[in-house]
Amino acid sequence: MLKILLLPGLDGTGKLFKHLNTYLKLPVQSEVIVLNDIVGRTHIEQARSIAHLIGRSRVILIAESYSGRIAYELCRILNQQISYIIFIASFVSNPCRITELIKNLPEIFFDIKYIPEILINYFCFSGYGKTKLYLALRETMALVSKKIIKQRIHLIAKLQIPEQHYAINACYLRPSHDRLVSTRALKIIRECFPNLTVKTISGGHFIAQIEPKKCATIINKIIVEQGY
C-alpha cells in the first residue's frame, strides 16, 4: 500500500496546502499531516509519531519548509519504506541567520498581526505575494499559539548539520528568491540526499502558495515518472 503524506511548514496546520491540493492529481488519496495534532515537540519526536501512522506502508513525502527535517528523521526511522521525497523550500539544518537573531524574542513578536505586511512580503513572498496571500498567511498563523511558533523557531535555530546520507530519490522545489533558506542550507540537503534533483520556480519562500499550479505540475510529473 502506498501513502502520500504532505508535511506542512512552520504553522503546522496544513491549511496553506489548500491551493496546491486543488492541482495535485495523485494516484492514491493523500493525507495532510497536522503537526499540531500529533504527539511530539521536536522534529525527531514528531517523526516518530508520523512513522507510527505510516505503519508498514510505502510512502511518498511532500515536505514544506520546517518539515524538511521531519522528512529527514523519517528516513532514519523508515528508510526503505520511503519511495520518494519532494522538498518544497525545505531545510534539514538551520536555514539562515535570521533564526539566531529572533529565537529569544518575547512571544509577542511572533504574533503575525504585529508584523508589517511589507516585512512579510519581503521575507515570505520576496515581492511575489499579493494581499490575498498575506491575508491567508495571517489567518492561518493566527490559529497557532505564539508559544508554539517561538518553540519551533528555537528548534530551527538549534538544528545541527545531519551526518547520515540517504540514497532515496528526491526533488527540491527551489524558489528563485528564497530569503529564508540560504544556498548553504540547500547545499547541505544535496549532501544528505545525493540523488536529489532541483527544480527552480520564480518566487519567494512560500512558493507552494505563490505558484501552486507550477509546483503541482512538477509533483504530478514526478509521481507519474515513478510509475505510480
Side-chain angles (χ1 to χ4, degrees):
M1 180 181 177
L2 176 70
K3 291 184 178 181
I4 299 177
L5 301 184
L6 286 87
L7 308 176
L10 187 70
D11 63 286
T13 67
K15 291 184 180 297
L16 293 173
F17 281 134
K18 177 182 176 181
H19 295 297
L20 178 70
N21 265 325
T22 62
Y23 295 108
L24 289 177
K25 299 176 181 177
L26 304 176
V28 297
Q29 186 173 2
S30 61
E31 180 181 355
V32 175
I33 300 297
V34 179
L35 300 181
N36 308 326
D37 291 345
I38 64 173
V39 175
R41 185 177 68 87
T42 68
H43 292 90
I44 294 174
E45 291 167 351
Q46 290 172 332
R48 287 173 181 157
S49 294
I50 295 168
H52 180 73
L53 296 175
I54 292 170
R56 296 184 179 181
S57 300
R58 294 189 64 79
V59 66
I60 293 174
L61 301 176
I62 301 174
E64 183 180 36
S65 190
Y66 170 87
S67 283
R69 185 58 182 248
I70 295 176
Y72 175 88
E73 298 298 342
L74 281 169
C75 293
R76 195 199 308 259
I77 299 168
L78 300 176
N79 205 339
Q80 298 300 317
Q81 288 179 240
I82 299 177
S83 298
Y84 203 98
I85 304 175
I86 298 166
F87 295 103
I88 304 177
S90 298
F91 48 88
V92 297
S93 57
N94 187 4
C96 64
R97 294 179 179 177
I98 295 172
T99 58
E100 287 289 340
L101 295 174
I102 68 173
K103 67 179 182 181
N104 292 320
L105 290 175
E107 287 181 10
I108 190 66
F109 285 89
F110 298 95
D111 190 332
I112 195 168
K113 70 173 177 281
Y114 295 122
I115 303 176
E117 183 175 351
I118 191 170
L119 287 181
I120 297 294
N121 196 27
Y122 180 83
F123 286 106
C124 298
F125 304 123
S126 298
Y128 289 82
K130 298 179 181 179
T131 299
K132 64 180 182 180
L133 287 179
Y134 167 76
L135 292 175
L137 177 60
R138 181 173 173 173
E139 181 180 324
T140 300
M141 295 297 286
L143 300 173
V144 189
S145 76
K146 298 182 291 295
K147 181 179 180 180
I148 289 176
I149 296 299
K150 180 175 179 175
Q151 285 176 347
R152 289 177 181 164
I153 293 291
H154 206 271
L155 286 172
I156 291 170
K158 294 195 302 180
L159 284 176
Q160 300 297 310
I161 297 174
E163 296 181 357
Q164 184 67 42
H165 297 173
Y166 296 100
I168 296 167
N169 291 327
C171 179
Y172 190 100
L173 304 190
R174 174 183 174 268
S176 60
H177 295 79
D178 195 336
R179 292 189 169 115
L180 294 177
V181 179
S182 67
T183 54
R184 180 174 180 269
L186 175 56
K187 180 183 177 183
I188 291 168
I189 283 194
R190 284 180 181 271
E191 292 170 353
C192 291
F193 296 91
N195 293 333
L196 181 80
T197 59
V198 178
K199 304 286 186 181
T200 301
I201 303 171
S202 294
H205 181 70
F206 280 73
I207 196 64
Q209 291 72 46
I210 297 168
E211 294 288 1
K213 187 173 182 179
K214 289 183 180 179
C215 290
T217 298
I218 294 171
I219 293 170
N220 291 335
K221 184 178 179 182
I222 287 171
I223 291 176
V224 168
E225 289 175 347
Q226 292 300 305
Y228 297 109

